[in-house]
Amino acid sequence: MSLARSLSLAPLALLLTGPGCFLANSDQLSNIEMREALDEVVLEGQGQSVENEIIEITTDFTIGAGVAEAAAALRDAIASQIPCSTITADNDTLTIDFGVLGDECVYNGHTFAGVVTITIAHDPASKQTTVDHSYQDLTNGVVTLNGSKLVTWTDAARHVVSDLDVERDGKTAHTSSDRTQTLLDPAAGLLGGIEINGERDWDNDKGNWKLAIDGVELRWIDPVPQAGSYTLTTPKGKTAVLGFSRVDDDTIAVTLSGGRTDRVFHVTSTGVVSDEGDA
């Protein structure tokens, strides 16, 4: 090889192998992949927000004489909070019909449509109550849920196992989860926020995503947690770690690690994401 050609290749060799290498580690996320990972988490979080609101309105009962009486009591409680819905109780099963979005059935400031069917069961020996949910085109106008969710709860915690299709903007992801929820403020109920531990995964047109949930604190109005961390494994087998901290009542900072540098994003309660640059 000539000296001239050796010198012409030297800058390329430095870029590929030198200390300031611009060739990304194959295990690292590019900036585009980091933003894509966050967008996926936000979308899943919006689906969880709808789930959490339905948990809130379908656990407002106590087991007294039996599950049929509990279903009837829950029917009356929901009717008082959401008079625009049509609610029927049949023994241990309750059906809530929010109608269509044009009916403007509003709960907690959100307009709901679709049908929720729940079945209540209680085991006196273990003091556990289970509420089996079925969603048919349940939507808040942003995301739509179809599928099932089983909530097993005591006074101290709720164990949630879900199997759902989540649709937004014409795209659908199949999602499943196994999570334990505890209340941050028992006196405030779900409105006071919850701590979640567990796992969630979903499949969409990009592949399979796996999310490990570690001590996150979540309010039902937010699409991402206000504390704790997520570890997300992308369809390409890369790992992103997301840490959360609250900026103000409407905004949460998400610090995303897994790329060449850590990056900070701000996420609003409506799911708007802005890139704030390197951490």
Side-chain angles (χ1 to χ4, degrees):
M1 180 181 294
S2 68
L3 177 60
R5 180 163 175 77
S6 296
L7 292 175
S8 70
L9 291 177
L12 177 60
L14 180 61
L15 289 177
L16 293 177
T17 63
C21 175
F22 288 89
L23 183 64
N25 186 318
S26 61
D27 292 331
Q28 292 179 341
L29 295 164
S30 67
N31 287 344
I32 293 175
E33 288 174 321
M34 292 177 80
R35 176 56 188 264
E36 183 181 64
L38 180 58
D39 288 343
E40 287 288 332
V41 168
V42 170
L43 174 57
E44 278 296 303
Q46 289 180 314
Q48 289 182 64
S49 294
V50 178
E51 289 184 59
N52 289 334
E53 287 190 274
I54 298 303
I55 290 178
E56 179 186 351
I57 64 174
T58 57
T59 54
D60 186 13
F61 65 89
T62 56
I63 296 293
V67 292
E69 288 79 1
L74 182 58
R75 175 198 60 203
D76 296 340
I78 296 174
S80 68
Q81 297 180 67
I82 319 175
C84 52
S85 61
T86 301
I87 310 164
T88 57
D90 181 11
N91 195 19
D92 59 355
T93 300
L94 190 74
T95 302
I96 310 166
D97 189 342
F98 292 100
V100 298
L101 286 173
D103 294 334
E104 297 184 350
C105 190
V106 177
Y107 174 66
N108 274 342
H110 296 148
T111 301
F112 283 93
V115 177
V116 178
T117 302
I118 69 169
T119 301
I120 303 170
H122 181 65
D123 180 4
S126 64
K127 297 182 179 180
Q128 288 187 336
T129 301
T130 59
V131 183
D132 194 352
H133 299 70
S134 176
Y135 300 146
Q136 181 181 346
D137 294 327
L138 175 67
T139 182
N140 62 355
V142 178
V143 296
T144 300
L145 306 181
N146 282 281
S148 63
K149 177 177 62 182
L150 181 65
V151 182
T152 303
W153 57 280
T154 64
D155 291 338
R158 294 180 173 91
H159 181 213
V160 182
V161 177
S162 62
D163 184 12
L164 298 167
D165 287 327
V166 181
E167 185 272 333
R168 178 184 173 181
D169 298 332
K171 297 181 179 180
T172 301
H174 180 77
T175 179
S176 60
S177 70
D178 189 329
R179 298 161 285 157
T180 298
Q181 302 177 347
T182 53
L183 298 174
L184 294 176
D185 180 359
L190 281 171
L191 287 175
I194 55 179
E195 179 178 318
I196 307 174
N197 290 276
E199 58 188 19
R200 191 177 184 98
D201 69 270
W202 60 95
D203 294 280
N204 57 22
D205 56 350
K206 300 181 182 69
N208 178 254
W209 305 76
K210 295 186 180 296
L211 185 69
I213 306 167
D214 185 15
V216 301
E217 296 181 5
L218 181 68
R219 301 187 310 170
W220 64 265
I221 61 173
D222 297 316
V224 294
Q226 63 182 11
S229 67
Y230 284 160
T231 301
L232 178 68
T233 303
T234 75
K236 295 181 180 179
K238 298 183 180 182
T239 300
V241 177
L242 297 88
F244 306 96
S245 60
R246 181 166 292 283
V247 176
D248 55 43
D249 195 56
D250 186 63
T251 309
I252 293 171
V254 182
T255 302
L256 205 160
S257 306
R260 186 171 58 85
T261 59
D262 295 351
R263 295 190 71 81
V264 176
F265 299 86
H266 283 179
V267 181
T268 70
S269 59
T270 59
V272 176
V273 178
S274 61
D275 189 341
E276 302 298 310
D278 292 345

